Structure formats: C-alpha cells, structure tokens
Amino acid sequence: MNNNVSKIWFFAAVCFIIIGIASKHATYIVLGCAYICLGCSKRNEKINSKDDANNYKYRMYYRLENILKRNKIYLIMIKNLLDNYKEIYWRIKMAGNKIVCHCKNVSYIDIRKAMIAGARTVEEIKEMTGAGTACGGCVKEIEKILASVCGCKGTSLESVVEAVKNGADTVEKVGEVTGAGTQCGRCKALVQNIIELKR
C-alpha cells in the first residue's frame, strides 16, 4: 500500500510541474519539487491498516509543511529563477553571437546592426543582411529578434515606440518609462534610432 501512496504523491508532483511549465507559473513547479522530496522521504514507510493510512496522510501533510518551511529560502530562490527565466534566457542569448541564418551565415549581431540602421521588418532584414532569403527557416527567429529592443529588461519594440510617441525624446527618458538601456546599455544605439525614426 505504501508503494501506491508514493506513486500518488509522485504523480501529483509531475502534474504540478507540468501545469507550472505549461502556465509558466513557478509556484506549481516549486510545489511539485516539494512533493517529490516528500514522496522520496516517505517511500518506505509501512502502512498496514486504514487507521495507519489516515495517520500516514496527516503525517505526509505535516512533512510537506516542514519541507516548505525548512527549505523556504531555496524554494524562493527557485521561484525567482523561474520567474526571471525570460531575462536569463535573453542574457545568455545576447552573450554569444550565434548564427541565426545558416544559409547566408548571418549572425544575431548582424541583425541587431541592421535594426540600428533602421530595419524593422523581416523584409528589411532580408534586404540588408540576406537572412531569410534562402530556405526561410530562420524567419520566426528574426521576428522574435525584431520584436525585442532590450533583452535585459524584456522590453519590446512596441513599448519603446509607444514611449517615443508619448513624448520620450531621449534615451534616458525612454529608459525611465520602459527600462530599455538601463542595465548593460547595449541597446542604447537602437533606442536612439527608434527615437530618430519614431518607428
């Protein structure tokens, strides 16, 4: 019986983790991890009767509460890490100069340079860099790059253009409104170009 109970806890943990990944909600993933810890800690406990099963259930809840309390700082760290996965992903992505279009050997930085020169659409990127003009497999990736101005703050092109239209006429003012350019500063040249072109 104890094996069946452990399986239920592990199944619940997997469900929480899947829900967390699907909904991009870190709390479910943290809870799923806690359930796994709980299932492992109580896997070999013997249950011989209905009363034992009821007592076991309450002990399991108590142990879950203790796990959450004892590991609160670590669970908070995991939650913050998962909540900020987008920022971390873009920082890693921007750290290297990966090839976006293998057919034409066009890199991420090449596309960003084209954006600084005024490119805002896939067609303009194609014209300026050649990316996406062969097999077209990189077009979706190009669209993602075009949609982002600041990877550090997760600031979109749309939000920067909106800030400029609302009167933000310097890089500093755009940074105050959107956060773009306030961290590593790599996107400041692009922000300036957006201000000049208002697009």
Side-chain angles (χ1 to χ4, degrees):
M1 187 173 178
N2 56 318
N3 287 334
N4 290 334
V5 174
S6 293
K7 287 177 182 178
I8 291 170
W9 279 90
F10 283 117
F11 176 76
V14 171
C15 288
F16 276 122
I17 291 171
I18 290 172
I19 292 169
I21 293 171
S23 63
K24 297 180 181 177
H25 202 299
T27 303
Y28 290 109
I29 298 175
V30 171
L31 190 57
C33 292
Y35 268 53
I36 289 174
C37 293
L38 188 58
C40 289
S41 69
K42 301 300 289 178
R43 191 182 182 105
N44 297 318
E45 183 163 338
K46 292 183 180 180
I47 301 174
N48 298 315
S49 67
K50 187 175 180 180
D51 289 337
D52 284 343
N54 289 330
N55 290 333
Y56 178 83
K57 179 177 68 174
Y58 290 116
R59 287 199 301 275
M60 291 288 270
Y61 290 137
Y62 178 74
R63 291 237 172 182
L64 176 61
E65 184 180 4
N66 281 342
I67 286 172
L68 292 173
K69 283 180 179 178
R70 285 198 309 268
N71 299 289
K72 185 176 180 181
I73 183 65
Y74 300 108
L75 294 174
I76 290 172
M77 288 171 66
I78 293 170
K79 184 178 185 302
N80 289 337
L81 180 66
L82 293 169
D83 284 341
N84 294 310
Y85 79 96
K86 185 177 180 182
E87 179 181 341
I88 293 165
Y89 167 77
W90 274 103
R91 283 188 186 179
I92 293 170
K93 188 170 184 177
M94 290 178 70
N97 183 26
K98 75 168 195 172
I99 299 299
V100 175
C101 178
H102 292 276
C103 299
K104 298 294 182 177
N105 197 35
V106 180
S107 69
Y108 172 82
I109 289 178
D110 291 331
I111 293 172
R112 296 295 282 187
K113 285 180 178 178
M115 290 176 70
I116 292 168
R120 296 291 184 270
T121 66
V122 173
E123 292 304 317
E124 289 170 342
I125 292 292
K126 286 180 178 180
E127 185 179 339
M128 295 175 72
T129 68
T133 58
C135 73
C138 59
V139 169
K140 287 187 178 179
E141 185 68 18
I142 293 170
E143 288 174 346
K144 288 180 183 178
I145 296 169
L146 286 169
S148 173
V149 170
C150 179
C152 298
K153 293 294 185 178
T155 308
S156 67
L157 174 64
E158 184 182 359
S159 62
V160 174
V161 171
E162 186 67 24
V164 171
K165 288 181 178 178
N166 288 335
D169 55 1
T170 66
V171 173
E172 289 71 24
K173 288 180 181 178
V174 170
E176 289 174 7
V177 176
T178 67
T182 59
Q183 200 147 339
C184 74
R186 292 181 185 177
C187 61
K188 286 185 176 181
L190 177 55
V191 173
Q192 183 60 46
N193 183 258
I194 295 169
I195 293 169
E196 291 169 2
L197 300 180
K198 290 184 170 54
R199 63 184 286 264

